């Protein structure tokens, strides 16, 4: 019984380990975590000559929270203060799309667009630039 | 370009659906010294910025010390300054993935504090002396920036000014030459910066005087606390030697309640002045772009001990 429970726990952890991806235009190269952080903080605005348009999900979105914790390594509070400080420097936060579906559509249509998404939800020809898991 | 769904305080206002934004800030403060009270409407500023993929602009106009009322045991004086100053006016051109070019009047990208100089954004109402006596706070000229993202962010700044400044009254030094080089490295929570430069100060009484300076800065930033230190030195051609530095710790008890302690030291041979001070400060931010601040300064020069309160908003 105990062994069976452990196997079930192992299987549920394996099945529940969702993989996420940062996706973008097919002309973009693979990106490092440092570059992705710089792009979403608008410190890095061009890659291979392409103007980048990072796309966020809404602030309450669970995937956005995972992305901010894993890739940006900043709390919501710090990000909020970061963007208010950037307002003084003339920089704006990334545009926000209401859902992963609308974000993918935006990425598909805009050359420099990039966003983060559950890998399983990719349904358009886009390039996976970086992958991460919640428990990495 | 999409228009914002709604206005958010501290993030500016988008003009229609154009890539043009409007914003601003103001601050009021009260200072109490042993023998002097001062009430001040210090800053009232409006700014506009915007641009496209490669070109951007920033313009900021400010009323400085709009209203100042000072009282001591015998007298009360009130001054009003309704002159509109050009605080910043520049254009940015992104040349490629790594390089950016700025032309106009801008905050000299020296150290960390000087890039976040307005009351509502900085940690305390007062600014460290090192940000006021070591280098020109503003440069009117060119700034070439080169950034590289490897393990961390490596950035170089080359500042060039060889011309009369835009609005020379709005700067700590009236300079017509300023050449400086800065290098910074940022990885995870750490950031280090080294800057050095030369400037010519114009003075109606003493003529032109040349200075060289160097500044070292370090910052560690975590979610709940921040450590920041800057140390600068300045030499004039005449042999005057100034230095100023500070170390500051900041702790966020909650999102709204913040405590700060700063230790400072400086020597200014031009003004024949030196001092050491400890600053104990508390800031309440009901929202991040709104700050109620108080601080107590303990100086080795006891007549400089003071309490300061301020209220500031970014919109």
């Amino acid at each position: 019984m105990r062994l069976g429970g452990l196997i079930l726990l192992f299987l549920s952890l394996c099945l529940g380990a969702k993989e996420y991806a940062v996706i973008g235009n097919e002309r973009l190269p693979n990106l490092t975590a440092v570059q992705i952080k710089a792009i979403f903080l608008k410190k890095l605005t061009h890659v291979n000559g392409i103007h980048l348009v990072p796309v966020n999900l809404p602030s309450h979105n669970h995937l956005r929270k995972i992305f901010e914790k894993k890739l940006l390594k900043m709390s919501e509070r710090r990000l909020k203060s970061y963007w208010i400080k950037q307002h003084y420097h003339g920089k704006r936060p990334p545009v926000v799309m209401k859902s992963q579906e609308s974000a993918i559509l935006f990425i598909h249509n805009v050359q420099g667009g990039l966003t983060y998404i559950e890998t399983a939800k990719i349904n358009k020809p886009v390039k996976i630039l970086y992958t991460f898991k919640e428990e990495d | 370009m999409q228009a914002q769904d709604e206005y958010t305080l501290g993030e500016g206002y988008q003009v229609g659906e154009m890539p043009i934004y409007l914003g601003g800030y103001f601050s009021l403060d009260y200072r109490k010294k042993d023998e002097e009270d001062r009430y001040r409407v210090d800053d009232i500023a409006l700014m506009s910025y915007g641009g496209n993929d490669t070109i951007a602009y920033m313009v900021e106009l400010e009323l400085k010390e709009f209203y100042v009322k000072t009282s001591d045991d015998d007298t009360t004086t009130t001054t009003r300054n309704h002159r509109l100053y050009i605080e910043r006016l520049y254009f940015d051109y992104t040349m490629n993935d790594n390089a950016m070019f700025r032309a106009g009047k801008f905050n000299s990208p020296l150290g960390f504090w000087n890039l976040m100089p307005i009351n509502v954004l900085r940690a305390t109402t007062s600014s460290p002396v090192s940000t006021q006596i070591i280098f020109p706070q503003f440069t009117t000229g060119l700034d070439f920036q080169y950034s590289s993202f490897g393990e961390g962010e490596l950035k170089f700044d080359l500042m060039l000014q060889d011309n009369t400044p835009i609005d020379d009254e709005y700067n700590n030094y009236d300079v017509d030459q300023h050449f400086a080089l800065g290098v910074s490295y940022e990885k995870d929570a750490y950031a280090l910066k080294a800057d050095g430069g030369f400037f010519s100060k114009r003075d109606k009484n003493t003529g032109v005087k040349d200075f060289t300076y160097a500044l070292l800065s370090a910052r560690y930033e975590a979610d709940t606390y921040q450590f920041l230190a800057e140390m600068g030195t300045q030499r004039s051609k005449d042999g005057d030697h100034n230095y100023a530095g500070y170390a500051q710790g900041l702790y966020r008890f909650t999102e709204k309640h913040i405590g700060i302690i700063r230790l400072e030291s400086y020597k200014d041979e031009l003004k024949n002045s030196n001092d050491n001070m400890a600053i104990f400060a508390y800031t309440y931010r009901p929202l991040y772009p709104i700050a109620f601040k108080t601080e107590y300064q303990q100086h080795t020069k006891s007549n400089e001990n003071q309490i300061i309160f301020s209220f500031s908003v970014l919109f």
Side-chain angles (χ1 to χ4, degrees):
Chain A
M1 190 68 179
R2 187 172 289 173
L3 181 62
L6 283 171
I7 290 168
L8 276 175
L9 178 64
F10 176 72
L11 284 173
S12 66
L13 283 172
C14 287
L15 291 171
K18 281 184 186 170
E19 188 181 64
Y20 305 103
V22 176
I23 57 169
N25 184 271
E26 289 176 303
R27 283 179 58 200
L28 290 173
N30 289 336
L31 299 171
T32 66
V34 170
Q35 287 174 309
I36 290 167
K37 179 176 179 178
I39 290 166
F40 277 82
L41 295 181
K42 297 276 189 90
K43 292 180 173 184
L44 179 58
T45 59
H46 290 73
V47 170
N48 287 0
I50 299 169
H51 178 244
L52 302 166
V53 186
V55 174
N56 259 334
L57 294 171
S59 58
H60 60 268
N61 183 280
H62 180 61
L63 174 52
R64 175 166 167 176
K65 290 183 190 303
I66 294 169
F67 173 77
E68 289 175 349
K69 185 180 170 193
K70 304 298 296 184
L71 272 291
L72 304 190
K73 294 181 172 36
M74 292 167 79
S75 66
E76 189 180 347
R77 177 175 69 185
R78 269 184 73 196
L79 276 165
K80 202 185 292 179
S81 64
Y82 174 85
W83 284 114
I84 286 168
K85 288 174 180 173
Q86 292 310 305
H87 167 49
Y88 174 73
H89 289 295
K91 290 187 179 176
R92 311 294 305 170
V95 294
V96 175
M97 293 286 155
K98 286 179 180 169
S99 66
Q100 294 185 60
E101 290 72 23
S102 54
I104 293 181
L105 195 61
F106 183 89
I107 300 312
H108 184 62
N109 292 327
V110 176
Q111 181 178 246
L114 70 166
T115 192
Y116 42 86
I117 191 169
E118 283 176 46
T119 311
K121 289 200 174 178
I122 297 174
N123 58 4
K124 299 265 182 207
V126 292
K127 183 172 179 180
I128 295 178
L129 306 169
Y130 186 88
T131 59
F132 61 101
K133 289 180 179 172
E134 186 169 1
E135 72 279 9
D136 274 348
Chain B
M1 183 66 62
Q2 289 185 320
Q4 288 175 160
D5 290 331
E6 57 188 34
Y7 171 76
T8 304
L9 186 69
E11 293 188 8
Y13 175 78
Q14 185 175 6
V15 180
E17 294 193 1
M18 292 187 289
I20 294 174
Y21 298 88
L22 302 173
Y25 57 90
F26 67 85
S27 70
L28 324 171
D29 60 46
Y30 166 73
R31 185 181 74 184
K32 167 75 177 164
K33 284 186 175 181
D34 279 353
E35 296 174 353
E36 183 191 272
D37 285 345
R38 185 190 68 189
Y39 301 86
R40 191 169 64 160
V41 179
D42 187 23
D43 298 327
I44 304 172
L46 289 173
M47 56 188 194
S48 172
Y49 60 84
N52 60 20
D53 297 359
T54 53
I55 295 172
Y57 78 92
M58 163 67 78
V59 57
E60 181 185 345
L61 305 174
E62 179 171 316
L63 293 164
K64 184 76 180 162
E65 296 197 326
F66 181 71
Y67 174 87
V68 183
K69 182 179 178 182
T70 309
S71 307
D72 58 25
D73 290 341
D74 304 318
T75 57
T76 296
T77 57
T78 302
T79 59
R80 292 177 176 83
N81 183 2
H82 294 170
R83 199 192 141 189
L84 199 60
Y85 296 94
I86 299 172
E87 180 162 344
R88 295 182 292 170
L89 177 63
Y90 60 77
F91 292 90
D92 286 342
Y93 174 63
T94 303
M95 300 165 74
N96 55 44
D97 294 2
N98 304 101
M100 200 271 283
F101 189 71
R102 175 168 291 176
K105 183 182 182 186
F106 47 86
N107 298 109
S108 305
L110 301 165
F112 296 119
W113 192 286
N114 197 53
L115 290 172
M116 216 54 70
I118 63 174
N119 188 351
V120 66
L121 296 181
R122 60 190 188 231
T124 55
T125 305
S126 65
S127 288
V129 177
S130 64
T131 64
Q132 298 166 43
I133 69 169
I134 300 295
F135 53 81
Q137 292 172 330
F138 292 91
T139 300
T140 301
L142 305 174
D143 178 34
F144 177 76
Q145 297 177 12
Y146 180 88
S147 302
S148 172
F149 297 89
E151 292 286 308
E153 179 188 357
L154 180 65
K155 187 177 172 191
F156 295 91
D157 271 287
L158 178 65
M159 284 149 272
L160 306 168
Q161 175 181 348
D162 190 11
N163 46 266
T164 52
I166 295 172
D167 214 341
D168 56 1
E169 286 184 38
Y170 200 97
N171 203 349
N172 58 331
Y173 288 115
D174 181 3
V175 293
D176 59 7
Q177 278 193 323
H178 183 204
F179 306 107
L181 181 65
V183 56
S184 65
Y185 184 73
E186 191 170 339
K187 185 182 179 188
D188 300 328
Y190 296 93
L192 299 169
K193 201 167 183 185
D195 304 289
F198 160 88
F199 67 93
S200 286
K201 175 191 165 195
R202 303 186 302 181
D203 190 297
K204 284 170 189 165
N205 302 317
T206 58
V208 175
K209 202 168 184 178
D210 295 339
F211 296 87
T212 56
Y213 65 86
L215 182 73
L216 290 174
S217 311
R219 185 182 66 202
Y220 182 87
E221 176 104 45
D223 275 342
T224 53
Y225 62 93
Q226 183 202 62
F227 176 77
L228 181 61
E230 296 189 309
M231 170 64 76
T233 179
Q234 180 201 75
R235 282 182 188 278
S236 75
K237 240 182 177 179
D238 303 339
D240 292 325
H241 179 210
N242 302 331
Y243 79 82
Y246 72 94
Q248 176 179 278
L250 176 153
Y251 186 78
R252 299 177 186 93
F253 298 102
T254 68
E255 190 173 352
K256 297 177 180 176
H257 301 279
I258 303 155
I260 303 112
I261 295 177
R262 185 168 73 237
L263 302 175
E264 282 195 59
S265 180
Y266 78 89
K267 183 179 79 171
D268 186 344
E269 289 188 349
L270 285 171
K271 293 180 180 168
N272 196 24
S273 171
N274 64 82
D275 197 1
N276 299 313
M277 64 198 92
I279 291 146
F280 305 92
Y282 162 74
T283 295
Y284 172 62
R285 291 184 185 274
L287 296 169
Y288 193 86
I290 300 174
F292 295 89
K293 298 179 185 174
T294 181
E295 69 180 74
Y296 173 70
Q297 297 185 3
Q298 176 77 39
H299 292 248
T300 50
K301 288 179 174 176
S302 60
N303 62 339
E304 288 295 319
N305 292 349
Q306 55 193 275
I307 296 173
I308 304 174
F309 298 96
S310 74
F311 170 60
S312 51
V313 175
L314 179 72
F315 54 91

